[in-house]
Amino acid sequence: EMRDLLPYSVAIPTPFKKSDGLTRQDVDHDAIPVLVWYYHAHGVPGLLVSGTTGEQHSMTTAERMDYLTSVRKATKGLLSEDGAPMALYAGVAAVQTLDAVTLAQHAVREGYDALMLGFPPYLRVRQHEALQYISAICDAIKNDDMPVFLYNNPPRTGFELHPDTFHRLVDIYPNIIRGVKHAGNYSIAPSFQRHGEGQRKVAILSGSDATFIQNFVENGYTGLTSIMGSVWPREMKRIVEALTSGRVEDAHLAMQPLLEGVSILLQNGTLLHSIKYVLRKRGVPAGWCRLPLVDLDADTDKEQTQALAPQRIDHR
């Protein structure tokens, strides 16, 4: 039986080994059980694996398949705080359709709970090409009871999924397409939802922690695949729980003390460097970014250590 998409999950980074500039940075598979346990111990009910935060497009298809397998093994037997198995969502976007099909079929075999299907980067596909791409993956898994949510991320791909294309896909695959993670123009997010009689509600997910409260209230977003949940796992969970139970003011109050920390992590460039840095400082083996992304320099390291020291981190 298909599980509903969770209102709160966290995008997990891929733990690459440190580069010496000469050798390939392999995935540190030995680190994965400890990394997964960190999220489990801090109440995270689900993980998004091999998405943007996981540096998916720096990896070969074979690497991604092995990584999906290792994370799945690490979560075997882990239950979330409500007693349900820890949910796993597999990012399966690829430049070539066949690679996306291969990844999707592998995630199905490994027992993932849903697929996040983004669009090919750089190619700037057209709407009919996007429809064919999604259809190929859905056709390959249509007998497997695997829910899919599409990832509309124009800043990363150069492609904007039109709501009409999304609705066509929902009509063709009503039991597969269950939602969209929308990182485009926030104001068009309500257009992905249809409200006529007999229309099934779809999930509209965000990957932007800082804007999630506003988008939940104003633009019909229903859930968050959190990036900052790596740094503040319980805090972000409480914010989402407050929103989904109608306590918007409580969500604002809970978010306020985190915004300074988010600003600190963002001021030094890409958020991913900073997240891995913070986790390593905590003894969590999140690894390093894969080249050409480089680690924080010594001055930035010192700045972040000092700036984040007073930030409240809930380790319970």
Side-chain angles (χ1 to χ4, degrees), residues 120-308:
Y122 188 75
L123 299 180
R124 301 180 72 178
V125 297
R126 295 167 291 179
Q127 295 297 315
H128 72 277
E129 292 168 327
L131 191 145
Q132 292 173 358
Y133 165 81
I134 299 297
S135 295
I137 289 90
C138 289
D139 286 340
I141 61 165
K142 62 184 178 183
N143 297 321
D144 295 303
D145 293 329
M146 173 65 75
V148 170
F149 60 99
L150 306 185
Y151 188 13
N152 186 36
N153 191 355
R156 297 278 185 176
T157 65
F159 167 78
E160 176 91 52
L161 176 67
H162 290 175
D164 287 347
T165 304
F166 176 74
H167 294 315
R168 283 188 64 190
L169 285 162
V170 171
D171 289 340
I172 297 169
Y173 304 102
N175 297 319
I176 297 178
I177 306 293
R178 306 300 289 272
V180 59
K181 179 178 174 181
H182 179 58
N185 182 342
Y186 297 134
S187 66
I188 71 167
S191 300
F192 289 106
Q193 203 74 260
R194 291 189 289 194
H195 301 283
E197 183 177 350
Q199 297 290 344
R200 178 171 54 81
K201 187 175 181 180
V202 297
I204 302 178
L205 305 178
S206 173
S208 172
D209 298 77
T211 63
F212 179 60
I213 295 176
Q214 180 179 358
N215 281 324
F216 184 92
V217 173
E218 298 179 5
N219 293 316
Y221 281 72
T222 62
L224 175 69
T225 61
S226 177
I227 299 173
M228 294 312 304
S230 283
V231 180
W232 294 286
R234 286 197 180 276
E235 288 85 349
M236 291 309 305
K237 181 181 181 182
R238 289 171 187 149
I239 289 165
V240 175
E241 289 175 342
L243 288 172
T244 55
S245 60
R247 296 180 287 111
V248 176
E249 186 59 33
D250 287 348
H252 278 293
L253 290 173
M255 178 64 84
Q256 196 59 43
L258 306 186
L259 292 178
E260 181 183 355
V262 173
S263 177
I264 292 166
L265 295 179
L266 280 171
Q267 71 186 7
N268 296 301
T270 177
L271 195 57
L272 185 56
H273 302 83
S274 298
I275 287 173
K276 288 190 169 185
Y277 163 83
V278 170
L279 291 179
R280 292 197 311 269
K281 285 289 185 180
R282 294 184 189 174
V284 180
W288 280 260
C289 294
R290 204 172 225 181
L291 293 175
L293 298 180
V294 297
D295 200 35
L296 302 180
D297 59 37
D299 289 339
T300 304
D301 185 310
K302 183 178 179 180
E303 289 172 6
Q304 294 218 336
T305 299
Q306 293 174 342
L308 285 174

